[in-house]
């Protein structure tokens, strides 16, 4: 039978952004190597619109093979000031415990979403750990 674990964690931002204390919780389920995380947070201070990244996922993303390298997930925002009017996704890069938020644009590469004071974000992503 595979390992099974559920838990919560306090989300923190990379790049010195700060969160409202009442809106910064994540939850996870781990079944074997499969991790599913969800969370919601509200930005208090955006540190000059620094790149929006969570720096403390409960488990690192795997490495080495296509199935374990990267994972993308869904994001819902409220009051996020987009550079262009398209969309946003979250991305975990191979070997990392950081969740990056990327703005999607038509016919162009995606770019880092910038943290935006007083905006809300909810996310969900499933990935493999080592």
């Amino acid at each position: 039978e595979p390992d099974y674990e559920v838990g919560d964690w306090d989300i923190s931002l990379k790049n010195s952004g700060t969160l409202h204390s009442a809106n910064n919780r994540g939850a996870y389920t781990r079944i074997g190597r499969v991790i599913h995380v969800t969370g919601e947070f509200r930005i208090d201070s955006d540190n000059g619109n620094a790149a929006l990244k969570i720096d403390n996922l409960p488990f690192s993303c795997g490495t080495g093979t296509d199935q374990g390298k990267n994972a993308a997930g869904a994001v819902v925002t409220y009051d996020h000031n987009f550079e262009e009017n398209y969309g946003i996704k979250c991305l975990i890069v191979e070997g990392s415990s950081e969740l990056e938020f990327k703005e999607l644009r038509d016919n162009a590469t995606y770019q880092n979403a910038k943290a935006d004071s007083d905006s809300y974000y909810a996310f969900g992503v499933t990935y493999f750990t080592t």
Side-chain angles (χ1 to χ4, degrees), residues 9-26 38-47 50-57 78 80 99 101 114-123:
W9 90 102
D10 290 327
I11 295 168
S12 68
L13 295 182
K14 190 172 183 170
N15 302 324
S16 301
T18 57
L19 301 173
H20 281 275
S21 61
N23 298 94
N24 65 350
R25 293 292 286 165
T38 60
E40 180 181 52
F41 61 96
R42 180 180 177 199
I43 296 177
D44 186 24
S45 170
D46 61 27
N47 191 30
L52 181 56
K53 297 179 182 183
I54 291 174
D55 65 1
N56 68 331
L57 290 174
Y78 174 75
H80 175 80
L99 184 62
F101 292 79
K114 294 184 171 84
D116 193 5
S117 292
D118 292 322
S119 53
Y120 292 82
Y121 304 85
F123 64 90

